[in-house]
Amino acid sequence: MALKLGCVVMAAGNARRFGENKLAAGVGGRSLILRALEAVPGEEFEKVAVVTQYPEVMELAERFRFSAVRNEHPDWGISHTIRLGLESLGNCAGAMFLVSDQPLLRQESVRALAELWQSRPDNIAALAHGGVRGNPCVFPARFFPELLALTEDRGGNTVIRRHEEDLILLETAEQELTDVDTRSALAELEQ
């Protein structure tokens, strides 16, 4: 029997380097946030929580039948988004954290990562290319206290660095791990 795995889609950032809500920006005619939600195989998860400051993202999350979690303080950093997401998942054996600015991430890769973690649930699991870790990442519940103790703009990387020996990687195509932080990165991706 599969362990209860939750998913937190992190969609609350201010996108300072991008200059505006980058989640509304499009790649191939579909917004970054739409592409992120489409990459989540809902049937793999006990619950999917989309943490955001944007009303339009909350509405879209509800259309996917995901839980929309309002982040009133995105300025408190990624640690606050992680806390809100984890708290909304309830009692899960693990939590996958998925960023919403990887427009080429495929649902098949997210599913394969969930399945890898189910086979080795004591480990932190992450997608990677060429042995270099990327996102998403799955944390077993034993790491939740450390994730909840994070502050400001410290994210899951902080916890992973403390526990490298517990990390397992799932190789995927490099483009799936490409994130869009700037307008020029988006333009490159469109080409």
Side-chain angles (χ1 to χ4, degrees), residues 121-173:
D122 289 335
N123 291 91
I124 299 169
L127 287 184
H129 178 75
V132 178
R133 177 179 49 81
N135 286 306
C137 298
V138 184
F139 292 87
R142 68 187 174 112
F143 294 108
F144 291 0
E146 286 184 59
L147 290 166
L148 291 168
L150 294 169
T151 58
E152 298 167 352
D153 239 0
R154 288 181 195 85
N157 287 338
T158 304
V159 176
I160 292 171
R161 279 196 291 275
R162 285 187 217 133
H163 302 281
E164 293 281 349
E165 70 283 359
D166 293 307
L167 178 64
I168 54 175
L169 299 175
L170 178 65
E171 279 291 312
T172 193

Side-chain angles (χ1 to χ4, degrees), residues 40-190:
V40 177
E43 70 281 357
E44 294 289 333
F45 301 102
E46 184 73 16
K47 182 176 184 180
V48 177
V50 180
V51 183
T52 187
Q53 63 173 309
Y54 303 106
E56 60 274 21
V57 173
M58 293 187 78
E59 287 174 27
L60 187 59
E62 288 167 358
R63 275 193 264 155
F64 275 80
R65 296 189 176 5
F66 296 159
S67 176
V69 179
R70 182 126 176 112
N71 184 342
E72 300 281 351
H73 297 283
D75 51 306
W76 290 0
I78 195 169
S79 62
H80 187 58
T81 295
I82 290 169
R83 170 176 290 281
L84 290 171
L86 265 183
E87 289 173 348
S88 75
L89 290 182
N91 187 20
C92 287
M96 180 182 290
F97 290 88
L98 192 138
V99 296
S100 35
D101 61 355
Q102 286 179 212
L104 303 181
L105 181 65
R106 294 174 328 125
Q107 190 177 89
E108 295 78 14
S109 299
V110 177
R111 181 177 290 109
L113 181 63
E115 290 169 357
L116 173 65
W117 180 80
Q118 288 285 356
S119 73
R120 297 186 53 193
D122 289 335
N123 291 91
I124 299 169
L127 287 184
H129 178 75
V132 178
R133 177 179 49 81
N135 286 306
C137 298
V138 184
F139 292 87
R142 68 187 174 112
F143 294 108
F144 291 0
E146 286 184 59
L147 290 166
L148 291 168
L150 294 169
T151 58
E152 298 167 352
D153 239 0
R154 288 181 195 85
N157 287 338
T158 304
V159 176
I160 292 171
R161 279 196 291 275
R162 285 187 217 133
H163 302 281
E164 293 281 349
E165 70 283 359
D166 293 307
L167 178 64
I168 54 175
L169 299 175
L170 178 65
E171 279 291 312
T172 193
E174 184 176 21
Q175 64 266 22
E176 286 195 69
L177 304 181
T178 303
D179 62 9
V180 176
D181 284 329
T182 62
R183 289 187 180 284
S184 61
L186 181 65
E188 270 181 52
L189 208 61
E190 282 279 36

Side-chain angles (χ1 to χ4, degrees), residues 25-43:
V27 173
R30 292 182 3 257
S31 69
L32 293 183
I33 188 58
L34 177 60
R35 287 173 164 273
L37 297 183
E38 288 174 343
V40 177
E43 70 281 357

